[in-house]
Amino acid sequence: MEKLSISDLHIILVEPSDTQRKIITTLLLKENVKEIDPVSTLSEARSAVKAHGADLIVSAMYYEDGTALELLKFIKEDDAFKSIPFMLVSSENRLSKLEEFKQAGVAAILPKPFEPLHLSRALNASLDLINHDELELDLFDVHDVRVLLVDDSKLARNHIRRVLEGMGLQRIQEAENGAAALTLIKDQSFDLVVTDYNMPEMDGRELSEFIRFNPETTHIPIIMVTSESADSAHMANIQQTGVNALCDKPFEPNEVRQMLSALLGN
């Protein structure tokens, strides 16, 4: 399958403000996007997606008839559309509101206003989700790498799985929290664990401590995925548990590719 470039993207832009719609359209055109379908409401966005799909959705957070979270869930819960990357553009800075989108698997979150550099990075992160580029490893066949993916959000697991599968990882098992993950770890062997931090029953820190301090599993590389700031009180000493790498949500393919090359290439 031929890889898409930014100029190949068909974007649905959902923005209720005429002024903001014009500004974002202008910036997208400057990035060499050629096909932009502007709409202003949730209803119009759903109709546009149903009518002709999209390569990427770029959306404000609030519309007069709903929210971007409703649109995102509409897309992610439909097999025909769930692979469409979703980019949020919003002046919202409340962590609780942004957390919902991070857990739902957005490709990128841009502030308002944003710099062209931010837009370029977000567009390229979205392209990485669309274009599958297998990871090449010296010591492993990437298809044989056994991955345990742990996250209490099904939408987040779906997004992370898609990123990993796009790099050629095929043997992925899922668990919805640390306790469920331990059950699998005790019965099976894994080459990599990718775990969320905040989870019920057993969180990512407790799971990582068990893996690292158990002689039978101490060798397994651990990537912890979190929407918390890397300098937050919770995360300040998380690597003392033996986590090999910290990865922010949204889960960016390029960042993950570099981590996997480092962790599995040695």
Side-chain angles (χ1 to χ4, degrees), residues 15 37 68 85 110 134 141 162 192 212 232 264:
E15 172 56 69
D37 188 0
L110 291 181
E134 283 199 358
D141 180 337
R162 185 173 170 230
L192 174 69
R212 196 54 73 228
S232 72
L264 300 176

Side-chain angles (χ1 to χ4, degrees), residues 55-209:
D55 296 312
L56 171 64
I57 292 172
V58 178
S59 175
M61 183 175 280
Y62 302 108
Y63 333 120
E64 65 179 25
D65 62 342
T67 69
L69 196 60
E70 291 176 82
L71 178 59
L72 179 56
K73 288 182 177 178
F74 162 76
I75 292 161
K76 296 298 182 184
E77 292 170 0
D78 190 312
D79 287 342
F81 311 129
K82 65 183 181 182
S83 64
I84 301 174
F86 194 103
M87 185 191 305
L88 178 70
V89 183
S90 176
S91 56
E92 178 65 71
N93 56 18
R94 286 175 292 176
L95 295 179
S96 60
K97 290 294 182 183
L98 296 175
E99 177 72 14
E100 294 177 311
F101 287 89
K102 291 179 179 182
Q103 293 294 349
V106 291
I109 298 177
L110 291 181
K112 282 184 181 177
F114 56 80
E115 299 293 328
L117 180 64
H118 298 152
L119 179 60
S120 177
R121 179 178 175 182
L123 288 171
N124 281 300
S126 300
L127 274 178
D128 284 340
L129 286 172
I130 297 167
N131 295 324
H132 293 176
D133 189 7
E134 283 199 358
L135 188 67
E136 294 185 4
L137 301 171
D138 292 334
L139 303 179
F140 286 94
D141 180 337
V142 70
H143 299 156
D144 293 334
V145 175
R146 299 161 296 183
V147 181
L148 178 57
L149 169 57
V150 193
D151 199 305
D152 58 315
S153 164
K154 181 169 176 55
L155 289 175
R157 290 200 308 273
N158 289 346
H159 177 70
I160 295 171
R161 173 183 276 274
R162 185 173 170 230
V163 172
L164 296 175
E165 287 179 340
M167 296 178 192
L169 292 124
Q170 298 175 352
R171 300 178 65 181
I172 302 172
Q173 290 210 55
E174 299 181 15
E176 60 185 17
N177 58 48
L182 280 189
T183 301
L184 293 172
I185 288 171
K186 289 173 181 176
D187 293 335
Q188 301 176 52
S189 298
F190 293 96
D191 303 304
L192 174 69
V193 172
V194 181
T195 180
D196 188 22
Y197 175 61
N198 286 311
M199 295 181 292
E201 294 192 46
M202 177 183 282
D203 65 21
R205 182 189 180 97
E206 293 168 311
L207 173 63
S208 299
E209 288 177 337

